[in-house]
Amino acid sequence: MKNVVILGSTGSIGTSALKVVGDLRDRLRVVGLAAGSNISRLLEQARQYQPRAVCVRDTRAAADLATALGADCQVFSGEEGLIRLATLPDAHIVLVAIVGTTGLRPALEAIRAGKDLALASKEILVMAGEIVMREARAHGVRVLAVDSEHSAIFQCLDGKPISSVRKLWLTASGGPFRDARLWPKWRFREITLQDALQHPSWVMGRKITIDSATLFNKGLEMIEARWLFDIPIDQVEVLIHPQSVVHSMVEFVDGSWLAQLSTPDMCLPIQYALTYPERVPSARVQTDFVKLGTLTFEAPDTERFPALELARRAGRIGGTLPAVLNAANEVAVAAFAEGRLSFAEIPERVRRTMDAHRVIDHPSLEQILEADAWARRVALDI
């Protein structure tokens, strides 16, 4: 039996993870759940899965939750509560599915406590990949990808040395604005929030769905892959694949390619991470290639979607620049969602913030968090 803590249990990844736990109750047991402000859903989850501890953002909400759950379940709050949850003595693996930077310290403390990490929060490796992977090596724990793309690459590599790899190929659906005939660049200023939330392949949270529309999501994944697989970012490429069936590919030095394919469903990479190194039977994901018919690929349009080149620049330079990229994008996406910024202006705000930053090489965690805070202030000023 593997004991699981889920940080971000009420979001799309967290709810999918609980479906996996429900499917595999003979193998997986939830010992901790954390949510932000969706107290009613967390209460429902806690009653169904009976964790030993839960955590919420607000202390007053925590008090109400403690009353509702009774003495059998500890209730924590805030960042300190997330750390308590991530370091529970009987936890084996911690799934981090918190949007933004909130999961960074809990993830590091989980590693230092000897817990394997299942990462769905891109920001953790984008901001602090050097520190996180160094700590994981030092404490002998695994950092397992939950993103479908990185899970696919991990499965294709299957222990092969990175020296055998020519390139990693991350696939992207292209988002709702892939077709340049329907959405030429000049129309990007007309894009509404509702337009941007119409993802063609996946059902996800608002922030990640907007990032998929700008392709910033794929840019962040490039940096994430650079750290997960210890490979220079210039060996990480992006390919548009509208059907979202080929989740990613590895091109080897001899010219061979390996790909991982399945119908889009986040339960599959989540299950693989939580049950690794086993492959456990599941009837949840069914793939019918006759019905799918055709799989197509095309190069990304970096003129209409400059996010990819901004991310490559941040990944090449490294240091605090990826944290600045991530923070500026979060601010810009929030401004777009609130109607204060056009869709077309999102990458421009990120670029201007990056241009204004003085990079610190090999930063400490404190310097990374300072760069994050600085970028948020500058992006707001811009």
Side-chain angles (χ1 to χ4, degrees), residues 70-325:
D72 291 338
C73 183
Q74 287 184 285
V75 180
F76 305 127
S77 63
E79 183 181 64
E80 183 59 34
L82 289 174
I83 291 171
R84 292 279 298 276
L85 216 61
T87 57
L88 285 174
D90 56 347
H92 298 121
I93 187 167
V94 178
L95 170 60
V96 184
I98 302 172
V99 175
T101 60
T102 310
L104 179 52
R105 286 189 191 275
L108 283 169
E109 292 305 320
I111 289 171
R112 290 164 183 160
K115 317 297 181 186
D116 285 341
L117 214 59
L119 270 184
S121 301
K122 298 175 180 62
E123 297 85 355
I124 289 173
L125 288 183
V126 170
M127 292 179 66
E130 184 176 11
I131 294 173
V132 170
M133 299 310 290
R134 183 177 67 228
E135 290 286 329
R137 288 190 294 271
H139 291 87
V141 303
R142 300 186 183 106
V143 178
L144 299 161
V146 169
D147 271 347
S148 62
E149 296 82 0
H150 301 92
S151 176
I153 289 170
F154 182 66
Q155 293 177 61
C156 291
L157 286 173
D158 193 24
K160 299 174 184 66
I162 208 67
S163 59
S164 68
V165 174
R166 181 176 292 163
K167 286 188 176 181
L168 305 180
W169 290 86
L170 301 171
T171 57
S173 71
F177 313 120
R178 178 181 64 86
D179 192 334
R181 294 166 300 176
L182 294 175
W183 292 102
K185 189 174 182 180
W186 63 266
R187 284 198 65 199
F188 275 24
R189 289 186 177 275
E190 302 173 3
I191 290 171
T192 66
L193 176 61
Q194 204 55 42
D195 292 332
L197 293 177
Q198 301 303 309
H199 196 280
S201 304
W202 298 92
V203 177
M204 305 175 291
R206 186 169 77 168
K207 164 65 165 53
I208 192 172
T209 304
I210 297 171
D211 280 349
S212 295
T214 61
L215 293 194
F216 261 110
N217 190 49
K218 210 54 50 177
L220 297 175
E221 287 175 7
M222 290 166 63
I223 299 172
E224 188 180 5
R226 178 261 177 275
W227 290 112
L228 268 175
F229 305 111
D230 193 22
I231 191 169
I233 199 162
D234 286 332
Q235 287 177 255
V236 182
E237 299 286 353
V238 171
L239 199 59
I240 303 299
H241 170 52
Q243 295 81 19
S244 298
V245 171
V246 177
H247 294 296
S248 277
M249 300 177 282
V250 177
E251 180 186 0
F252 292 95
V253 291
D254 62 358
S256 298
W257 292 57
L258 289 180
Q260 187 266 329
L261 296 81
S262 71
T263 301
D265 190 319
M266 281 306 299
C267 287
L268 195 154
I270 291 168
Q271 176 175 306
Y272 190 75
L274 294 182
T275 61
Y276 183 82
E278 296 180 79
R279 277 198 188 271
V280 177
S282 172
R284 192 170 285 280
V285 180
Q286 303 293 326
T287 305
D288 187 329
F289 284 96
V290 174
K291 286 184 179 178
L292 287 170
T294 303
L295 303 178
T296 61
F297 304 90
E298 59 194 66
D301 185 341
T302 54
E303 182 183 357
R304 288 193 307 136
F305 300 101
L308 295 177
E309 290 308 312
L310 289 173
R312 191 177 296 282
R313 172 185 159 196
R316 280 180 184 144
I317 295 172
T320 49
L321 195 57
V324 169
L325 167 92

